[in-house]
Amino acid sequence: MKNILIISFLFLLFAPIKIFCTHNRAGEIIYKQTGELSIIATLITYTKTESAAADRDTVTIYWGDGTSTNVKRSNGNGTELANSVKKNIYIAEHTYPGRGTYIISMIDPNRIADILNVDPPNSINVPFYIQSTITLFNTTFQGINNSPILLKDPIDVACLGQIFIHNPSAYDEDGDSLSFSFTTPFMDFNTPVPNYLLPNLISPGINNGLNLDSRTGTLIWQSPQRAGEYNIAIEISEFRRGIKIGSVIRDMQILVLANCKDNAPPSIVGVRDTCVVAGTLLELNYLIDDINKGFRGGRVKIETGGGAMQVNNPAISTFNAAYQNPIQNLNIKWQTTCEHIQSDYYTIFILVTDDFFDTTGLSSIFTLRIKVTGPSPENLISVPQDDGIELFWKEPYACDSITSELRGFSVWRSKKTIQLNQQICSPGLENSGYQRIAYLVYKSKNGQIFYKDSLAQKGITYCYRVQAEFSKISPSGFPYNFSTSLASNETCAYITDDKPHILNVDVKNTDSIQGEVFIKWTKPDYFKYDTFTHTPPYQIVLRRSLNLVNWIEIKTNLTNTLGGFTDTSYLDTNLNTANVSYYYQIEITSSDGYKTKSDSAQSIFIQASIIGTRLELNWNEITPWTNYQYHIYRKELLDLNFTKIGSSNQKNYIDRNIIFSSIYCYLVQSEGEYGNQLLEKPLFNQSQELCILIQDSSAPCCPILTVEGPCDQTQSTEKMFNTLRWNNPNVICESKDVIGYRIYKLKQNENPELIADIKDVNTLSYLHLFEQDAPICYIIRSVDSTDLECITAETKCALYCPDYILPNTFTPDDDGHNDIFKPSKNQFIQEVEFQLVNRWGQKIYSTSNPDILWDGSDLQGKKVNDGVYYYQCKIIPFPNQQGFEEKIITGFIELITNK
């Protein structure tokens, strides 16, 4: 990179002060990795066609490793485009000395003249510099790194006052994720162009906004306010596994024309984003229209492109390529295949241009994003064995083909069944509740794909799903850039053992003394229990616990054969089922001391809480089986029977249909199973009954208060008033239980004082009259039917516009008029520092009282003579009064008594 800096410096040193030939408009550098350390770079520039003196048949590419190459133009004399634009292509190969990150760059002496947002009006003297960054990996493990391909030229036309939309239609053949961001155009390495502004900052205003979608690359400028040429730079960054691995900085030019300001762009209507399963025939239709049809600029020409049209078996668009009268139909059809599966979206851009300038005009661009996801593996089943659980699914998999990038399957497991809501746009089992136990597996057995979970333990239910895994492959065969298919169906299995299994812990009666719980269990599996080693008699013990630590034996039986169990159920009585939950366990002991026992199982215990106008039920239970559904029942206190009000697959439920002061009783019934085909299913177990008085214990929502004071309203100085306004919380608050409002006033250093108790919830304003005094603040609290007040009310204060004026004439002649000197206006002043002196500077009177109240006497109480007296008064308003701060006024008082 030092070479770049030296060459750039020498160029600037010997360049003339003014360069009169104009040249570069836009450009970018893209690259393709061809080997471990080798790349092919393609430099594309867009220059002014008339600038023959500055035409470059050869340019220098700097590789970022201290070397450079002079490269001849590969497209002859360049390709001429519309609006005085010539496209130049330069292609060169390079081999780097080692792995690393390199900056590929190019610098040329001059841009075109009169770019409005690049050092205006001196853009002609600003060099043109573009760069791209490449990271060379260990291709054995990390794969190759090709830059994004930008399918749309970086030259576009906008109309003054009309919305402008552009998309570079970037495509990454490696499947890397792309991100788009603004950057500043450069004039050299690490050297931004001088005095650069984004285009919307030229004649800025509310109608001049610029936005770049970081995900799609769509640029929207609404709307240009000054005609001329603008340049912007967009950095297109590529990420692999969340790590930035390269970027292309595109320097782009936008020509804003004034003579088409009344020409609206064409419109494109249709689907923007969609996701399909590989193998789906995707067919989309778009309507192309132009409100100027029948007038100048009313015909349209359609172009399409994008990544989905660059792959094998590409998307195909059908339309008339010549200028046509709208409305036109565009059909896009794509027969997706397994080789199209990737984690990122494909893009298709639809470019529609009107004919305002006969062969070109204003364009609209529409970006369609398509994700292709792998299909679900099919027919997953589970077969329990003594040493594990075998999984089988259909072979061949739908996307197991030579052209697909299938690398194998991942296996996911859970200890409970999970209802999965799969989305084609976001496949995968991450964060679904399953845990991955195997990755990239692919073995066959008996004509099916096979995996054995050898870590599955006996006596535990396991549920499984599998998904296909796809990836790119490095030259040495290592995968990168993974994507997943949709998940398979779920299958659950259970490895049997020699222990008994509890099937029911079912509350039959709810009472604090005479509660009852029904327990049911199975006999041990006769084929799993070794009766030759573990001989009779067998003792069967049923135990109960409150905490899984201290167990009480509540039933004991003896039998001489495993098949001789005469009783596998028990009704446990005299319990406190109203307040606690119970655990149960079965243990079998043979004559040789061998013990086998069931897993413990707990009764369901529900609790309730009232939140606003809803009641929330919560419960928790520990069972060896999986409860996959809960049914909630309710009755009023005097009803005989419960009524089902809902179901939940979570351990909570919200009842929104309640009435305050009512008593409701609830119970919850669970539905579950072990996942073992040999055990009874489904298993139903009931909680205790919970009765609760529905009382409103939560405060209502607070209204939002605004206060309009003397500053906000025209009012007399004799009668002051504040206008209070608020909203009805019942409109926006879920509880909707407000029935009235209480208004409190607050003065400085005083407690809140109730001034209004409003009983009508629809009264939403209040006029508070008050004398001229200290400023008043307010709190309004809503009130509900139980007389609860809201608790989050804010204090709001009015603006009072303090004012203070002193007269300059005083006549203390005891005639009852003007005998006390006081302010002619004293409005919301907290304190003053008033001092009065005679013509010789002797203090006559002082006070801190804003009313002054001078009777014409001096400090000794003696009446002063007629004459002129001078004052200084520091005025201190009450705090937080907008626009009025402490100030000092001076003046004179002419005292006249005629005595």
Side-chain angles (χ1 to χ4, degrees):
M1 189 51 64
K2 291 180 179 177
N3 289 7
I4 297 176
L5 294 173
I6 293 171
I7 292 171
S8 304
F9 173 74
L10 291 174
F11 161 73
L12 294 172
L13 182 64
F14 293 106
I17 298 298
K18 180 79 173 176
I19 301 175
F20 293 96
C21 50
T22 62
H23 193 57
N24 288 284
R25 295 182 180 273
E28 70 229 9
I29 301 170
I30 59 175
Y31 52 82
K32 187 175 184 66
Q33 188 173 357
T34 57
E36 180 80 12
L37 301 174
S38 301
I39 69 166
I40 294 177
T42 301
L43 165 65
I44 308 170
T45 64
Y46 298 79
T47 55
K48 189 170 183 177
T49 305
E50 295 85 351
S51 300
D55 187 39
R56 308 285 185 247
D57 64 350
T58 301
V59 298
T60 301
I61 295 179
Y62 299 92
W63 299 106
D65 60 356
T67 66
S68 61
T69 302
N70 293 326
V71 186
K72 287 187 173 295
R73 185 163 48 202
S74 63
N75 62 333
N77 293 323
T79 304
E80 293 192 11
L81 307 177
N83 297 312
S84 184
V85 177
K86 182 163 70 171
K87 183 176 182 178
N88 311 279
I89 301 174
Y90 309 87
I91 302 173
E93 299 184 28
H94 183 68
T95 299
Y96 284 94
R99 300 189 195 106
T101 298
Y102 299 94
I103 294 177
I104 310 165
S105 62
M106 168 267 190
I107 188 170
D108 196 65
N110 53 311
R111 295 174 179 266
I112 67 166
D114 300 321
I115 302 174
L116 294 180
N117 63 329
V118 175
D119 197 24
N122 303 310
S123 62
I124 190 173
N125 291 329
V126 178
F128 179 77
Y129 173 89
I130 50 177
Q131 70 176 43
S132 292
T133 304
I134 181 174
T135 299
L136 297 175
F137 301 122
N138 183 337
T139 57
T140 300
F141 301 102
Q142 298 166 296
I144 60 175
N145 182 11
N146 299 311
S147 75
I149 300 170
L150 310 179
L151 301 173
K152 180 74 172 66
D153 289 334
I155 299 285
D156 215 336
V157 176
C159 284
L160 192 69
Q162 298 287 350
I163 186 171
F164 168 76
I165 304 175
H166 176 89
N167 189 290
S169 191
Y171 163 64
D172 193 289
E173 60 182 297
D174 302 329
D176 295 320
S177 299
L178 300 181
S179 177
F180 303 81
S181 61
F182 284 124
T183 188
T184 302
F186 287 90
M187 59 182 290
D188 203 337
F189 176 69
N190 275 346
T191 308
V193 299
N195 301 317
Y196 174 74
L197 293 174
L198 284 169
N200 63 307
L201 299 179
I202 304 298
S203 299
I206 60 174
N207 297 321
N208 195 352
L210 188 69
N211 180 67
L212 177 65
D213 190 317
S214 62
R215 185 184 54 154
T216 66
T218 296
L219 169 72
I220 299 177
W221 185 4
Q222 189 168 358
S223 301
Q225 298 297 305
R226 189 187 301 180
E229 292 180 289
Y230 299 80
N231 270 72
I232 60 172
I234 299 175
E235 182 172 6
I236 301 98
S237 301
E238 52 178 343
F239 293 83
R240 186 173 297 177
R241 294 183 180 178
I243 299 173
K244 186 175 178 178
I245 61 171
S247 66
V248 172
I249 293 181
R250 160 176 273 199
D251 199 315
M252 173 185 173
Q253 187 164 89
I254 305 169
L255 173 61
V256 178
L257 300 175
N259 58 353
C260 59
K261 63 181 180 180
D262 296 324
N263 176 38
S267 63
I268 308 167
V269 178
V271 173
R272 284 196 178 274
D273 290 355
T274 188
C275 303
V276 297
V277 176
T280 300
L281 174 61
L282 177 65
E283 190 164 5
L284 299 171
N285 289 297
Y286 293 85
L287 291 178
I288 313 299
D289 200 1
D290 196 310
I291 63 173
N292 300 310
K293 56 181 176 248
F295 301 93
R296 180 183 176 185
R299 298 200 308 157
V300 295
K301 181 179 68 174
I302 303 171
E303 301 172 66
T304 60
M309 295 180 166
Q310 303 295 314
V311 297
N312 294 328
N313 301 307
I316 298 171
S317 56
T318 304
F319 57 88
N320 194 320
Y323 273 104
Q324 300 289 322
N325 291 317
I327 298 175
Q328 292 291 310
N329 290 305
L330 166 65
N331 177 265
I332 294 177
K333 186 181 293 186
W334 192 14
Q335 177 58 64
T336 59
T337 68
C338 295
E339 64 182 313
H340 299 142
I341 297 169
Q342 66 175 33
S343 59
D344 243 20
Y345 282 77
Y346 293 90
T347 58
I348 294 177
F349 74 83
I350 303 169
L351 178 68
V352 181
T353 307
D354 68 26
D355 65 342
F356 191 83
F357 299 109
D358 191 24
T359 59
T360 187
L362 193 58
S363 298
S364 288
I365 193 162
F366 186 101
T367 304
L368 164 65
R369 300 169 71 241
I370 306 169
K371 181 166 184 173
V372 182
T373 298
S376 302
E378 298 179 330
N379 304 334
L380 177 66
I381 62 171
S382 52
V383 181
Q385 304 290 342
D386 285 342
D387 58 348
I389 296 175
E390 294 183 342
L391 303 175
F392 297 90
W393 60 97
K394 182 180 177 180
E395 187 177 30
Y397 170 60
C399 276
D400 187 0
S401 63
I402 295 176
T403 57
S404 81
E405 296 177 332
L406 177 69
R407 305 302 169 210
F409 299 87
S410 57
V411 182
W412 300 73
R413 186 179 77 183
S414 171
K415 291 184 180 180
K416 64 178 181 179
T417 184
I418 296 176
Q419 302 297 320
L420 192 63
N421 182 22
Q422 295 202 79
Q423 303 293 327
I424 298 176
C425 291
S426 53
L429 291 168
E430 296 283 350
N431 304 316
S432 66
Y434 293 94
Q435 290 186 327
R436 191 174 68 188
I437 61 171
Y439 193 55
L440 301 187
V441 299
Y442 200 150
K443 292 183 179 180
S444 296
K445 182 178 179 180
N446 300 328
Q448 294 181 292
I449 306 173
F450 161 80
Y451 175 77
K452 184 172 185 177
D453 181 8
S454 300
L455 298 178
Q457 300 177 21
K458 293 181 179 180
I460 299 177
T461 298
Y462 295 100
C463 295
Y464 299 89
R465 292 184 192 264
V466 297
Q467 64 186 25
E469 303 287 346
F470 301 84
S471 75
K472 302 290 182 183
I473 201 79
S474 74
S476 300
F478 286 88
Y480 66 97
N481 276 1
F482 283 90
S483 58
T484 65
S485 75
L486 294 172
S488 71
N489 60 290
E490 185 186 64
T491 182
C492 299
Y494 180 95
I495 304 175
T496 58
D497 51 21
D498 64 357
K499 65 185 181 182
H501 300 280
I502 295 178
L503 303 177
N504 292 103
V505 179
D506 192 9
V507 179
K508 291 298 186 183
N509 184 44
T510 300
D511 192 84
S512 60
I513 298 175
Q514 296 181 335
E516 297 176 346
V517 177
F518 174 73
I519 307 98
K520 180 180 177 181
W521 61 92
T522 66
K523 301 174 184 180
D525 188 336
Y526 185 81
F527 297 101
K528 297 291 184 180
Y529 195 95
D530 186 357
T531 56
F532 292 101
T533 304
H534 311 310
T535 56
Y538 303 106
Q539 183 186 55
I540 301 98
V541 177
L542 173 62
R543 294 190 176 95
R544 180 182 69 222
S545 175
L546 289 172
N547 53 20
L548 291 175
V549 177
N550 302 311
W551 291 92
I552 301 172
E553 294 184 5
I554 59 174
K555 178 179 173 62
T556 302
N557 279 340
L558 285 174
T559 180
N560 288 320
T561 64
L562 285 178
F565 281 31
T566 57
D567 206 353
T568 56
S569 65
Y570 181 74
L571 184 64
D572 194 12
T573 60
N574 299 322
L575 302 173
N576 181 11
T577 53
N579 298 301
V580 296
S581 176
Y582 293 95
Y583 298 88
Y584 293 89
Q585 188 180 75
I586 298 290
E587 182 180 83
I588 300 174
T589 306
S590 63
S591 61
D592 63 336
Y594 175 72
K595 297 179 184 292
T596 180
K597 59 185 176 182
S598 72
D599 294 315
S600 59
Q602 182 187 17
S603 62
I604 303 173
F605 188 80
I606 58 175
Q607 296 176 301
S609 56
I610 300 171
I611 304 173
T613 59
R614 66 185 190 272
L615 180 139
E616 183 172 342
L617 294 173
N618 291 277
W619 57 91
N620 199 10
E621 80 285 351
I622 299 174
T623 62
W625 63 85
T626 299
N627 287 323
Y628 49 78
Q629 190 83 343
Y630 297 92
H631 307 287
I632 294 85
Y633 295 84
R634 189 185 81 174
K635 70 173 184 176
E636 294 194 30
L637 183 63
L638 299 179
D639 291 345
L640 294 177
N641 299 313
F642 280 90
T643 300
K644 183 177 178 180
I645 60 171
S647 296
S648 173
N649 58 11
Q650 305 295 321
K651 294 184 179 184
N652 60 72
Y653 179 81
I654 294 176
D655 184 3
R656 301 180 186 277
N657 187 25
I658 61 174
I659 300 174
F660 288 121
S661 301
S662 299
I663 297 177
Y664 296 107
C665 297
Y666 296 87
L667 66 82
V668 173
Q669 182 190 58
S670 65
E671 180 179 353
E673 63 174 76
Y674 274 94
N676 184 345
Q677 301 301 319
L678 301 178
L679 296 177
E680 176 185 330
K681 66 177 182 179
L683 304 176
F684 293 100
N685 290 281
Q686 184 173 293
S687 72
Q688 94 280 16
E689 296 178 15
L690 175 65
C691 296
I692 184 170
L693 172 63
I694 308 298
Q695 290 182 316
D696 187 1
S697 60
S698 58
C701 295
C702 287
I704 300 172
L705 175 66
T706 61
V707 179
E708 297 175 5
C711 266
D712 307 304
Q713 308 170 105
T714 301
Q715 46 186 261
S716 68
T717 57
E718 288 77 20
K719 286 192 174 182
M720 308 291 289
F721 63 88
N722 288 328
T723 302
L724 284 65
R725 305 182 195 276
W726 59 91
N727 67 313
N728 183 347
N730 289 342
V731 175
I732 59 175
C733 188
E734 183 181 0
S735 60
K736 303 186 186 307
D737 56 349
V738 174
I739 64 169
Y741 312 96
R742 290 179 185 143
I743 301 174
Y744 299 85
K745 74 173 184 179
L746 299 91
K747 286 189 178 181
Q748 192 174 29
N749 302 319
E750 294 182 11
N751 292 325
E753 176 187 344
L754 179 66
I755 59 172
D757 191 351
I758 299 171
K759 304 297 185 182
D760 181 8
V761 70
N762 294 312
T763 297
L764 301 177
S765 65
Y766 179 76
L767 194 69
H768 181 221
L769 297 172
F770 61 94
E771 300 293 334
Q772 292 188 24
D773 198 351
I776 304 172
C777 297
Y778 300 89
I779 292 176
I780 183 168
R781 293 195 175 106
S782 56
V783 184
D784 66 14
S785 58
T786 63
D787 206 42
L788 285 173
E789 293 185 355
C790 72
I791 57 177
T792 58
E794 293 185 40
T795 300
K796 292 295 180 69
C797 304
L799 297 178
Y800 293 92
C801 295
D803 201 0
Y804 196 74
I805 299 174
L806 294 177
N808 57 16
T809 302
F810 177 36
T811 59
D813 52 7
D814 299 323
D815 64 353
H817 300 285
N818 199 20
D819 290 334
I820 300 295
F821 181 79
K822 58 185 177 180
S824 56
K825 178 174 280 190
N826 175 12
Q827 189 166 297
F828 306 110
I829 301 302
Q830 181 179 22
E831 187 180 2
V832 297
E833 295 177 5
F834 178 85
Q835 294 190 53
L836 185 69
V837 298
N838 60 20
R839 59 191 297 183
W840 297 282
Q842 296 172 324
K843 184 187 292 187
I844 300 298
Y845 181 75
S846 67
T847 184
S848 61
N849 186 347
D851 291 328
I852 307 296
L853 302 179
W854 181 46
D855 64 358
S857 300
D858 62 15
L859 295 177
Q860 287 73 39
K862 180 183 178 181
K863 294 290 184 177
V864 299
N865 297 325
D866 289 10
V868 177
Y869 297 85
Y870 302 90
Y871 66 81
Q872 175 178 292
C873 183
K874 182 178 182 181
I875 305 169
I876 305 171
F878 285 95
N880 302 319
Q881 294 305 302
Q882 182 176 341
F884 197 102
E885 299 178 352
E886 293 183 4
K887 65 179 181 178
I888 296 175
I889 61 174
T890 58
F892 67 90
I893 302 170
E894 185 177 3
L895 188 149
I896 303 171
T897 62
N898 295 319
K899 291 183 180 180

